Amino acid sequence: MGFLSNFQKDLKSAKAEKAAQINGKNLKELLKKFSEERDRIEKDTGSRPQIDESTQLFMQKILNVWISEGKEIDEEKFWNEVDHNRQFTHTVEYYEIKR
């Protein structure tokens, strides 16, 4: 019986991991499109519009998780990267405050 319950846990874990990867890819594509649109607006108007609310909420969740894990994050650096949609090209260590 223990074998089956471990198998079910492993299966659920694998499914959750796969879903997270798919959601991450979809989100990355959306964030890239939003960034491109903001770049276009900045080029047309001369000023960069604010980050849309859904992107800001998602990135705030990521920031909160990192902080809850005990990491000291340079928030200015973090939000600058989010603003220009480069947040997926760096590891969490990139945003940590060096002491």
Side-chain angles (χ1 to χ4, degrees), residues 26-43:
N26 292 340
L27 179 65
K28 186 173 180 179
E29 289 173 15
L30 283 174
L31 292 175
K32 185 174 181 183
K33 288 178 185 176
F34 290 151
S35 178
E36 289 169 353
E37 179 65 15
R38 290 175 54 234
D39 289 343
R40 186 190 63 74
I41 292 170
E42 181 180 25
K43 185 178 177 184

PDB file of all heavy atoms in Angstrom, residues 26-43:
ATOM      1  N   ASN A  26       4.044  30.241 -20.766  1.00  0.00           N
ATOM      2  CA  ASN A  26       2.964  31.117 -21.234  1.00  0.00           C
ATOM      3  C   ASN A  26       3.096  32.502 -20.639  1.00  0.00           C
ATOM      4  O   ASN A  26       2.905  33.506 -21.333  1.00  0.00           O
ATOM      5  CB  ASN A  26       1.601  30.521 -20.883  1.00  0.00           C
ATOM      6  CG  ASN A  26       1.303  29.263 -21.669  1.00  0.00           C
ATOM      7  OD1 ASN A  26       1.892  29.015 -22.709  1.00  0.00           O
ATOM      8  ND2 ASN A  26       0.395  28.462 -21.157  1.00  0.00           N
ATOM      9  N   LEU A  27       3.414  32.561 -19.358  1.00  0.00           N
ATOM     10  CA  LEU A  27       3.563  33.859 -18.706  1.00  0.00           C
ATOM     11  C   LEU A  27       4.730  34.625 -19.299  1.00  0.00           C
ATOM     12  O   LEU A  27       4.632  35.827 -19.546  1.00  0.00           O
ATOM     13  CB  LEU A  27       3.770  33.684 -17.199  1.00  0.00           C
ATOM     14  CG  LEU A  27       3.947  34.990 -16.443  1.00  0.00           C
ATOM     15  CD1 LEU A  27       2.674  35.823 -16.523  1.00  0.00           C
ATOM     16  CD2 LEU A  27       4.314  34.733 -15.009  1.00  0.00           C
ATOM     17  N   LYS A  28       5.828  33.943 -19.563  1.00  0.00           N
ATOM     18  CA  LYS A  28       6.997  34.601 -20.142  1.00  0.00           C
ATOM     19  C   LYS A  28       6.645  35.219 -21.493  1.00  0.00           C
ATOM     20  O   LYS A  28       7.037  36.343 -21.792  1.00  0.00           O
ATOM     21  CB  LYS A  28       8.141  33.602 -20.282  1.00  0.00           C
ATOM     22  CG  LYS A  28       9.433  34.224 -20.734  1.00  0.00           C
ATOM     23  CD  LYS A  28      10.562  33.232 -20.699  1.00  0.00           C
ATOM     24  CE  LYS A  28      11.857  33.864 -21.150  1.00  0.00           C
ATOM     25  NZ  LYS A  28      12.976  32.942 -21.111  1.00  0.00           N
ATOM     26  N   GLU A  29       5.880  34.483 -22.317  1.00  0.00           N
ATOM     27  CA  GLU A  29       5.459  35.012 -23.613  1.00  0.00           C
ATOM     28  C   GLU A  29       4.572  36.244 -23.443  1.00  0.00           C
ATOM     29  O   GLU A  29       4.741  37.242 -24.156  1.00  0.00           O
ATOM     30  CB  GLU A  29       4.725  33.938 -24.402  1.00  0.00           C
ATOM     31  CG  GLU A  29       5.624  32.824 -24.900  1.00  0.00           C
ATOM     32  CD  GLU A  29       4.855  31.680 -25.535  1.00  0.00           C
ATOM     33  OE1 GLU A  29       3.661  31.855 -25.854  1.00  0.00           O
ATOM     34  OE2 GLU A  29       5.458  30.610 -25.699  1.00  0.00           O
ATOM     35  N   LEU A  30       3.647  36.185 -22.493  1.00  0.00           N
ATOM     36  CA  LEU A  30       2.777  37.339 -22.240  1.00  0.00           C
ATOM     37  C   LEU A  30       3.568  38.547 -21.765  1.00  0.00           C
ATOM     38  O   LEU A  30       3.356  39.667 -22.228  1.00  0.00           O
ATOM     39  CB  LEU A  30       1.711  36.989 -21.198  1.00  0.00           C
ATOM     40  CG  LEU A  30       0.536  36.160 -21.674  1.00  0.00           C
ATOM     41  CD1 LEU A  30      -0.349  35.777 -20.494  1.00  0.00           C
ATOM     42  CD2 LEU A  30      -0.272  36.932 -22.697  1.00  0.00           C
ATOM     43  N   LEU A  31       4.488  38.315 -20.828  1.00  0.00           N
ATOM     44  CA  LEU A  31       5.297  39.419 -20.319  1.00  0.00           C
ATOM     45  C   LEU A  31       6.140  40.041 -21.427  1.00  0.00           C
ATOM     46  O   LEU A  31       6.319  41.257 -21.471  1.00  0.00           O
ATOM     47  CB  LEU A  31       6.193  38.948 -19.169  1.00  0.00           C
ATOM     48  CG  LEU A  31       5.488  38.553 -17.884  1.00  0.00           C
ATOM     49  CD1 LEU A  31       6.490  37.994 -16.884  1.00  0.00           C
ATOM     50  CD2 LEU A  31       4.754  39.732 -17.293  1.00  0.00           C
ATOM     51  N   LYS A  32       6.626  39.201 -22.332  1.00  0.00           N
ATOM     52  CA  LYS A  32       7.426  39.712 -23.447  1.00  0.00           C
ATOM     53  C   LYS A  32       6.560  40.597 -24.347  1.00  0.00           C
ATOM     54  O   LYS A  32       6.988  41.674 -24.765  1.00  0.00           O
ATOM     55  CB  LYS A  32       8.014  38.552 -24.240  1.00  0.00           C
ATOM     56  CG  LYS A  32       8.945  38.983 -25.333  1.00  0.00           C
ATOM     57  CD  LYS A  32       9.612  37.799 -26.005  1.00  0.00           C
ATOM     58  CE  LYS A  32      10.557  38.295 -27.080  1.00  0.00           C
ATOM     59  NZ  LYS A  32      11.184  37.206 -27.808  1.00  0.00           N
ATOM     60  N   LYS A  33       5.329  40.146 -24.621  1.00  0.00           N
ATOM     61  CA  LYS A  33       4.418  40.947 -25.450  1.00  0.00           C
ATOM     62  C   LYS A  33       4.086  42.271 -24.774  1.00  0.00           C
ATOM     63  O   LYS A  33       4.057  43.318 -25.417  1.00  0.00           O
ATOM     64  CB  LYS A  33       3.135  40.164 -25.746  1.00  0.00           C
ATOM     65  CG  LYS A  33       3.347  39.038 -26.731  1.00  0.00           C
ATOM     66  CD  LYS A  33       2.080  38.254 -26.965  1.00  0.00           C
ATOM     67  CE  LYS A  33       2.365  37.069 -27.863  1.00  0.00           C
ATOM     68  NZ  LYS A  33       1.196  36.219 -28.050  1.00  0.00           N
ATOM     69  N   PHE A  34       3.828  42.231 -23.456  1.00  0.00           N
ATOM     70  CA  PHE A  34       3.542  43.464 -22.726  1.00  0.00           C
ATOM     71  C   PHE A  34       4.735  44.416 -22.786  1.00  0.00           C
ATOM     72  O   PHE A  34       4.574  45.621 -22.966  1.00  0.00           O
ATOM     73  CB  PHE A  34       3.209  43.168 -21.263  1.00  0.00           C
ATOM     74  CG  PHE A  34       1.878  42.487 -21.056  1.00  0.00           C
ATOM     75  CD1 PHE A  34       1.696  41.641 -19.975  1.00  0.00           C
ATOM     76  CD2 PHE A  34       0.818  42.676 -21.911  1.00  0.00           C
ATOM     77  CE1 PHE A  34       0.484  41.010 -19.758  1.00  0.00           C
ATOM     78  CE2 PHE A  34      -0.402  42.053 -21.714  1.00  0.00           C
ATOM     79  CZ  PHE A  34      -0.566  41.217 -20.632  1.00  0.00           C
ATOM     80  N   SER A  35       5.936  43.865 -22.625  1.00  0.00           N
ATOM     81  CA  SER A  35       7.136  44.687 -22.665  1.00  0.00           C
ATOM     82  C   SER A  35       7.317  45.320 -24.043  1.00  0.00           C
ATOM     83  O   SER A  35       7.649  46.503 -24.155  1.00  0.00           O
ATOM     84  CB  SER A  35       8.365  43.852 -22.313  1.00  0.00           C
ATOM     85  OG  SER A  35       9.527  44.632 -22.388  1.00  0.00           O
ATOM     86  N   GLU A  36       7.096  44.531 -25.086  1.00  0.00           N
ATOM     87  CA  GLU A  36       7.217  45.064 -26.446  1.00  0.00           C
ATOM     88  C   GLU A  36       6.207  46.183 -26.688  1.00  0.00           C
ATOM     89  O   GLU A  36       6.523  47.189 -27.326  1.00  0.00           O
ATOM     90  CB  GLU A  36       7.029  43.938 -27.468  1.00  0.00           C
ATOM     91  CG  GLU A  36       8.192  42.967 -27.505  1.00  0.00           C
ATOM     92  CD  GLU A  36       7.909  41.712 -28.310  1.00  0.00           C
ATOM     93  OE1 GLU A  36       6.745  41.515 -28.754  1.00  0.00           O
ATOM     94  OE2 GLU A  36       8.843  40.902 -28.483  1.00  0.00           O
ATOM     95  N   GLU A  37       4.994  45.999 -26.172  1.00  0.00           N
ATOM     96  CA  GLU A  37       3.970  47.039 -26.319  1.00  0.00           C
ATOM     97  C   GLU A  37       4.376  48.304 -25.575  1.00  0.00           C
ATOM     98  O   GLU A  37       4.211  49.414 -26.074  1.00  0.00           O
ATOM     99  CB  GLU A  37       2.625  46.514 -25.806  1.00  0.00           C
ATOM    100  CG  GLU A  37       1.493  47.509 -25.891  1.00  0.00           C
ATOM    101  CD  GLU A  37       1.120  47.898 -27.322  1.00  0.00           C
ATOM    102  OE1 GLU A  37       1.523  47.216 -28.270  1.00  0.00           O
ATOM    103  OE2 GLU A  37       0.427  48.914 -27.469  1.00  0.00           O
ATOM    104  N   ARG A  38       4.929  48.123 -24.371  1.00  0.00           N
ATOM    105  CA  ARG A  38       5.379  49.291 -23.606  1.00  0.00           C
ATOM    106  C   ARG A  38       6.551  49.977 -24.302  1.00  0.00           C
ATOM    107  O   ARG A  38       6.651  51.195 -24.297  1.00  0.00           O
ATOM    108  CB  ARG A  38       5.739  48.875 -22.179  1.00  0.00           C
ATOM    109  CG  ARG A  38       4.477  48.502 -21.410  1.00  0.00           C
ATOM    110  CD  ARG A  38       4.705  47.952 -20.029  1.00  0.00           C
ATOM    111  NE  ARG A  38       5.502  48.818 -19.211  1.00  0.00           N
ATOM    112  CZ  ARG A  38       6.618  48.424 -18.581  1.00  0.00           C
ATOM    113  NH1 ARG A  38       7.055  47.196 -18.681  1.00  0.00           N
ATOM    114  NH2 ARG A  38       7.270  49.264 -17.833  1.00  0.00           N
ATOM    115  N   ASP A  39       7.435  49.188 -24.934  1.00  0.00           N
ATOM    116  CA  ASP A  39       8.546  49.775 -25.697  1.00  0.00           C
ATOM    117  C   ASP A  39       8.011  50.601 -26.859  1.00  0.00           C
ATOM    118  O   ASP A  39       8.509  51.692 -27.149  1.00  0.00           O
ATOM    119  CB  ASP A  39       9.476  48.675 -26.238  1.00  0.00           C
ATOM    120  CG  ASP A  39      10.295  47.999 -25.162  1.00  0.00           C
ATOM    121  OD1 ASP A  39      10.413  48.570 -24.048  1.00  0.00           O
ATOM    122  OD2 ASP A  39      10.822  46.902 -25.420  1.00  0.00           O
ATOM    123  N   ARG A  40       6.987  50.051 -27.540  1.00  0.00           N
ATOM    124  CA  ARG A  40       6.393  50.762 -28.668  1.00  0.00           C
ATOM    125  C   ARG A  40       5.748  52.070 -28.210  1.00  0.00           C
ATOM    126  O   ARG A  40       5.939  53.119 -28.839  1.00  0.00           O
ATOM    127  CB  ARG A  40       5.342  49.873 -29.364  1.00  0.00           C
ATOM    128  CG  ARG A  40       4.787  50.483 -30.649  1.00  0.00           C
ATOM    129  CD  ARG A  40       3.588  49.709 -31.166  1.00  0.00           C
ATOM    130  NE  ARG A  40       2.451  49.729 -30.262  1.00  0.00           N
ATOM    131  CZ  ARG A  40       1.646  50.789 -30.050  1.00  0.00           C
ATOM    132  NH1 ARG A  40       1.865  51.917 -30.670  1.00  0.00           N
ATOM    133  NH2 ARG A  40       0.626  50.697 -29.214  1.00  0.00           N
ATOM    134  N   ILE A  41       5.028  52.011 -27.107  1.00  0.00           N
ATOM    135  CA  ILE A  41       4.384  53.216 -26.579  1.00  0.00           C
ATOM    136  C   ILE A  41       5.439  54.248 -26.171  1.00  0.00           C
ATOM    137  O   ILE A  41       5.301  55.435 -26.440  1.00  0.00           O
ATOM    138  CB  ILE A  41       3.457  52.869 -25.388  1.00  0.00           C
ATOM    139  CG1 ILE A  41       2.251  52.064 -25.890  1.00  0.00           C
ATOM    140  CG2 ILE A  41       3.004  54.121 -24.651  1.00  0.00           C
ATOM    141  CD1 ILE A  41       1.395  51.463 -24.786  1.00  0.00           C
ATOM    142  N   GLU A  42       6.515  53.762 -25.550  1.00  0.00           N
ATOM    143  CA  GLU A  42       7.591  54.678 -25.151  1.00  0.00           C
ATOM    144  C   GLU A  42       8.207  55.348 -26.374  1.00  0.00           C
ATOM    145  O   GLU A  42       8.503  56.542 -26.356  1.00  0.00           O
ATOM    146  CB  GLU A  42       8.662  53.917 -24.377  1.00  0.00           C
ATOM    147  CG  GLU A  42       9.810  54.799 -23.913  1.00  0.00           C
ATOM    148  CD  GLU A  42      10.870  54.035 -23.153  1.00  0.00           C
ATOM    149  OE1 GLU A  42      11.004  52.815 -23.354  1.00  0.00           O
ATOM    150  OE2 GLU A  42      11.580  54.676 -22.361  1.00  0.00           O
ATOM    151  N   LYS A  43       8.391  54.589 -27.448  1.00  0.00           N
ATOM    152  CA  LYS A  43       8.972  55.143 -28.673  1.00  0.00           C
ATOM    153  C   LYS A  43       8.039  56.192 -29.278  1.00  0.00           C
ATOM    154  O   LYS A  43       8.484  57.240 -29.742  1.00  0.00           O
ATOM    155  CB  LYS A  43       9.219  54.012 -29.675  1.00  0.00           C
ATOM    156  CG  LYS A  43       9.919  54.442 -30.924  1.00  0.00           C
ATOM    157  CD  LYS A  43      10.165  53.249 -31.841  1.00  0.00           C
ATOM    158  CE  LYS A  43      10.813  53.711 -33.129  1.00  0.00           C
ATOM    159  NZ  LYS A  43      10.978  52.606 -34.081  1.00  0.00           N
TER     160      LYS A  43
END
